[in-house]
Amino acid sequence: MTANNPLLDFTDLPRFDLIQPEHVKPAITQLLADGRALVDRLTADSTPATWADFAGALSDGLEGFGRAWGVVGHLHSVNDVPAWREAYNEMLPEVSRFYTELGQNLKLFDKYRALKQSPEYATLSAERRKIVDNEIRDFRLGGAELPEDQKPRFQAIMEELSQLSAKFSENILDATNAFAEIVTDETLLAGLPDYAKDAAREAAEKAGVEGWKFTLHAPSYGPLMQYADNRELRARMYRAYATRAAEIDNGYSKPEWDNGPIMKRLLELKAEDAAMLGFNNFAEVSLYTKMADTPAQVLDFLRDMAKKAKPFAEKDIAELKAFAKDELGLTDFQPWDAAYASEKLMQARYAFSEQEVKQYFTEPKVIAGLFTVIESLFTVKVKEDKAPVWHEDVRFYRIETPAGDLVGQFYMDLYARETKRGGAWMDEARSRKRAADGIQKPIAYLNCNFARPVGGKPATFTHDEVITLFHETGHGLHHLLARGEELGVSGIHGVEWDAVELPSQFMENYCWEWDVLQGMTAHVDSGEPLPRALYDKMLAAKNFQSGMMTVRQLEFSIFDMRLHYELTGKNSDPAGNKTVMDLLDEVRREVAVLIPPEWHRFPNSFSHIFGGGYAAGYYSYKWAEVLSADCYAAFEEAGDPFDPVVGRRFLEEILSRGGERPALENFKAFRGREPSPDALLRHSGMIAA
């Protein structure tokens, strides 16, 4: 099958019109064999330790494997049907084994060290020197310096970690999909906006049941918790959501979806991983490739932020509980009342609702507005393009220079589906590099989980969803506007994890600019743009409960860092006295103002750290918020959010640099100084009067 296998076609765009699950095993098996043969050839004594003969040849030679496996992983995320899940999971251990082999290959390690010590190293470009330095660093993390008798165990740990992470995410998706709340009495849906009821009605019809079907997917769950007057309905939905993939018998979950044992095993393996590499705990392993230096430094940063934010959060929760009691009659305030009471309080205080605002953010105008921001900031053009896609909802675009030269391309997959993993994310299909025939242009995926159009009208987005779209586009621009010519530091490659969120969070600021919103809104019925009076109310409400939201993010960040600092250390035992929930309870007592019920199992669905790449790295969001707010402040100081001089400097010093130089150097080249949290605190309304 390999001769005509579309997964092996690297001539241009991925062949999503042809790729099937049965193509995965033969393609990946062949690419793994080719990769091993390449490594054998390049590590031979006869191969000189030069860039052209060794490092560049290795990067180019393994690119196809990375692209093919990237397509497989992407399809597993956006089309998680049994056949794709099986195809992905069958090859995942083989892929993990190959990467672990690379990381432990002493001959590769020796070649990189020889290149570093050679006279050629000083003559290499800054990009190439950085790649060599990163490779030498990563070999240590890959176990290359381990004694030979320990390497098989380290490889087994890496394979098991990747399998467990995939299983963790699959359990959440399966548990999420398993629950449905069917409502047949419309009076129970009082308070719900029409769009939420229409979507629930369509879901019921699709499922072949009477009434309205609600699920735990965000477009269904969120509006119900925010608007439904029926408290019992909210409580049932909240409990179902809070106990996903947990050991608790909630009437719909299965024991095999319980992520508790997976978390325990992941922590055990990470502790063993850290000890084998000579680190005190897994948090130190994680920070080895980040801007931050030590777990203590990160915890100090987070606790300092918490100290500044908690008084505002305590004020927020006191106001919310008082309003819920006095105006809504909720004398025994519960967590499932929080979103509902917050929406009512916001309406009372600012005389508008998220539902009212949502009617103005129609999909065509939002997309056009987003593209206008990109074009204005970075002097490019965004145009619709054609490509094979994995679902009829997916659209494809190209970015060009003013002269019409191609810069990059991207897919946009906006709507939620039962077979698509939750959340929003950017991923790469291809990275920029200099090839034999010129510059290879980058390609990105932008994925969201918004509600699709219903009733023949265009889809409408909440303002939060618009912010999410701008956020993911920021990641995409980091990848697409790269100017580097080497894969290892092109776009997001080689960028410290805790700096990767800077461009994405930077872009969120434009969702609050009046001139931008005027051009990206049109009421779904009248076509009128967002009224200034409504915008002023949104702006007044921008920092509504920002204290509560900040301490919630800090809760997750401190929990993550302490978890990997304290429960994966040399002297710790994840199976010992302190459990994951015990630790979370400690963190909540320190920073939280809204404490969930004891049966809430948040860690069981914390996919960022157990199913994604954020283990001991969730703090990156807040760390990068400081950087991004400070960068945006440069535009504020210039008096124009589209100031061409500042925009060009941001593009040249940060966005297009990729991982060529340390992120702190990028920042200082742009701002002329070290980062300061002042802009973030000011933007969040948390500067004490």
Side-chain angles (χ1 to χ4, degrees):
M1 185 187 280
T2 53
N4 297 311
N5 194 315
L7 264 176
L8 298 175
D9 180 358
F10 303 117
T11 54
D12 194 18
L13 302 167
R15 295 305 307 272
F16 289 116
D17 52 336
L18 301 176
I19 297 168
Q20 298 296 325
E22 56 265 26
H23 293 129
V24 174
K25 186 174 183 179
I28 300 303
T29 300
Q30 179 182 318
L31 289 166
L32 287 171
D34 292 348
R36 289 187 170 104
L38 174 73
V39 170
D40 288 344
R41 191 167 72 252
L42 297 184
T43 53
D45 293 340
S46 57
T47 302
T50 64
W51 180 269
D53 294 308
F54 167 63
L58 182 65
S59 175
D60 289 341
L62 293 181
E63 186 197 3
F65 169 68
R67 280 168 61 179
W69 184 244
V71 168
V72 175
H74 172 71
L75 288 169
H76 175 243
S77 294
V78 297
N79 188 29
D80 191 8
V81 294
W84 267 111
R85 180 180 292 192
E86 187 179 329
Y88 175 80
N89 284 332
E90 182 181 11
M91 295 311 296
L92 180 61
E94 300 297 323
V95 172
S96 301
R97 187 174 301 125
F98 176 68
Y99 280 123
T100 306
E101 286 171 13
L102 288 181
Q104 293 184 349
N105 189 315
L106 277 181
K107 290 183 177 179
L108 281 176
F109 191 25
D110 289 341
K111 277 280 200 289
Y112 277 112
R113 286 192 290 192
L115 176 54
K116 168 93 174 181
Q117 292 157 9
S118 73
E120 184 193 10
Y121 177 80
T123 69
L124 295 176
S125 67
E127 286 184 281
R128 291 178 175 181
R129 288 198 305 273
K130 187 69 159 55
I131 288 170
V132 173
D133 294 346
N134 287 352
E135 291 290 347
I136 290 171
R137 174 201 70 193
D138 292 344
F139 269 104
R140 184 190 175 198
L141 294 179
E145 295 176 311
L146 291 172
E148 286 303 314
D149 63 341
Q150 291 185 26
K151 286 185 177 179
R153 175 58 196 149
F154 189 85
Q155 183 164 318
I157 291 171
M158 294 300 106
E159 290 174 24
E160 192 176 351
L161 281 170
S162 64
Q163 288 173 295
L164 288 171
S165 292
K167 181 63 175 166
F168 187 93
S169 295
E170 288 171 1
N171 285 347
I172 299 169
L173 184 62
D174 288 343
T176 301
N177 285 337
F179 176 85
E181 176 78 25
I182 308 297
V183 177
T184 54
D185 180 358
E186 190 171 2
T187 61
L188 299 179
L189 303 182
L192 272 181
D194 288 341
Y195 78 87
K197 290 204 289 187
D198 291 345
R201 170 73 86 183
E202 283 194 10
E205 288 173 0
K206 190 176 175 184
V209 296
E210 291 292 317
W212 297 262
K213 179 185 176 184
F214 295 91
T215 72
L216 300 180
H217 290 282
S220 179
Y221 177 78
L224 188 143
M225 297 304 296
Q226 194 169 353
Y227 296 108
D229 294 335
N230 190 292
R231 198 182 188 200
E232 288 181 17
L233 181 59
R234 296 200 309 269
R236 281 200 304 277
M237 292 289 287
Y238 178 91
R239 185 178 175 89
Y241 192 85
T243 55
R244 288 178 302 161
E247 84 286 3
I248 291 169
D249 182 9
N250 55 17
Y252 76 91
S253 207
K254 294 181 180 178
E256 58 265 33
W257 297 337
D258 178 14
N259 274 335
I262 291 180
M263 288 188 287
K264 181 172 176 290
R265 183 62 180 154
L266 282 168
L267 293 172
E268 291 169 352
L269 290 168
K270 287 173 181 175
E272 193 177 351
D273 170 12
M276 291 182 77
L277 293 174
F279 291 93
N280 291 311
N281 48 68
F282 186 80
E284 290 183 2
V285 178
S286 174
L287 294 183
Y288 197 62
T289 56
K290 294 181 172 69
M291 285 177 73
D293 294 323
T294 65
Q297 181 193 11
V298 173
L299 287 168
D300 285 347
F301 162 73
L302 295 171
R303 284 174 168 143
D304 182 58
M305 290 291 291
K307 186 177 177 183
K308 290 170 178 170
K310 193 167 183 180
F312 293 93
E314 288 170 336
K315 182 169 177 281
D316 288 342
I317 192 68
E319 289 175 348
L320 182 63
K321 287 182 175 178
F323 176 83
K325 180 183 177 184
D326 297 342
E327 303 298 327
L328 305 177
L330 297 173
T331 53
D332 60 331
F333 186 87
Q334 297 293 339
W336 47 89
D337 300 320
Y340 176 76
S342 294
E343 175 65 22
K344 295 293 189 194
L345 174 57
M346 191 170 79
Q347 288 181 34
R349 183 175 292 175
Y350 304 107
F352 81 99
S353 72
E354 188 181 271
Q355 164 62 11
E356 181 185 0
V357 172
K358 179 183 166 88
Q359 304 309 306
Y360 288 94
F361 287 106
T362 46
E363 182 183 334
K365 291 293 285 186
V366 169
I367 301 300
L370 169 65
F371 293 169
T372 298
V373 169
I374 295 170
E375 292 171 348
S376 302
L377 266 176
F378 305 119
T379 321
V380 293
K381 290 289 179 189
V382 186
K383 297 180 178 177
E384 196 144 7
D385 206 348
K386 285 188 166 61
V389 294
W390 55 92
H391 191 276
E392 61 185 8
D393 292 339
V394 180
R395 279 167 293 167
F396 190 64
Y397 299 93
R398 61 193 284 117
I399 299 179
E400 297 178 352
T401 66
D405 298 324
L406 180 65
V407 175
Q409 296 161 294
F410 61 97
Y411 301 88
M412 192 177 271
D413 185 356
L414 294 182
Y415 308 138
R417 296 187 294 274
E418 286 189 357
T419 56
K420 184 177 174 185
R421 76 172 167 91
W425 71 98
M426 188 285 295
D427 209 345
E428 59 181 85
R430 186 174 76 192
S431 293
R432 179 185 160 99
K433 71 166 186 177
R434 179 167 291 283
D437 57 350
I439 295 291
Q440 172 179 285
K441 303 302 167 63
I443 307 168
Y445 306 115
L446 297 181
N447 304 282
C448 297
N449 269 280
F450 303 153
R452 65 179 53 254
V454 291
K457 294 181 179 180
T460 56
F461 303 146
T462 66
H463 189 240
D464 280 346
E465 287 172 337
V466 175
I467 290 171
T468 295
L469 178 59
F470 272 65
H471 178 103
E472 297 307 330
T473 302
H475 284 308
L477 293 171
H478 201 180
H479 176 67
L480 295 166
L481 300 184
R483 292 187 183 165
E485 299 187 356
E486 303 293 344
L487 285 177
V489 290
S490 174
I492 58 175
H493 289 275
V495 178
E496 296 97 320
W497 193 273
D498 43 0
V500 160
E501 297 294 334
L502 191 167
S504 54
Q505 292 175 341
F506 168 83
M507 285 295 291
E508 293 181 19
N509 291 285
Y510 289 89
C511 300
W512 293 100
E513 293 289 347
W514 169 241
D515 289 343
V516 173
L517 293 184
Q518 270 194 303
M520 66 186 287
T521 51
H523 193 279
V524 68
D525 293 322
S526 69
E528 292 293 314
L530 185 77
R532 179 73 200 210
L534 184 52
Y535 165 77
D536 289 339
K537 292 175 185 176
M538 288 170 62
L539 205 57
K542 179 187 175 191
N543 292 321
F544 176 64
Q545 297 183 342
S546 64
M548 279 172 63
M549 286 185 278
T550 298
V551 297
R552 181 169 164 78
Q553 209 174 4
L554 293 170
E555 172 192 324
F556 299 163
S557 301
I558 294 171
F559 166 66
D560 165 48
M561 185 53 66
R562 285 190 59 189
L563 186 75
H564 292 99
Y565 186 38
E566 298 174 22
L567 297 193
T568 62
K570 285 180 177 176
N571 302 315
S572 72
D573 174 14
N577 293 330
K578 186 179 286 187
T579 67
V580 170
M581 287 304 302
D582 289 338
L583 182 64
L584 181 56
D585 288 341
E586 280 184 21
V587 174
R588 283 174 172 159
R589 285 195 292 273
E590 181 183 357
V591 298
V593 295
L594 183 61
I595 308 294
E598 58 84 22
W599 42 258
H600 197 294
R601 291 294 180 267
F602 165 73
N604 293 56
S605 58
F606 197 2
S607 56
H608 274 79
I609 69 168
F610 292 116
Y614 279 88
Y618 196 81
Y619 77 91
S620 303
Y621 283 106
K622 194 54 68 179
W623 188 278
E625 268 187 70
V626 168
L627 302 178
S628 63
D630 204 345
C631 285
Y632 193 69
F635 289 86
E636 294 175 318
E637 290 158 15
D640 179 3
F642 295 101
D643 184 272
V645 175
V646 182
R648 187 162 56 252
R649 201 167 75 242
F650 183 76
L651 175 63
E652 290 174 355
E653 300 295 358
I654 291 183
L655 209 54
S656 67
R657 286 281 177 170
E660 170 199 332
R661 65 184 179 187
L664 187 58
E665 285 185 27
N666 289 346
F667 181 90
K668 289 196 286 191
F670 175 64
R671 281 303 256 149
R673 56 165 173 75
E674 297 272 345
S676 162
D678 293 350
L680 175 61
L681 292 168
R682 175 169 53 80
H683 290 167
S684 303
M686 289 190 292
I687 297 288

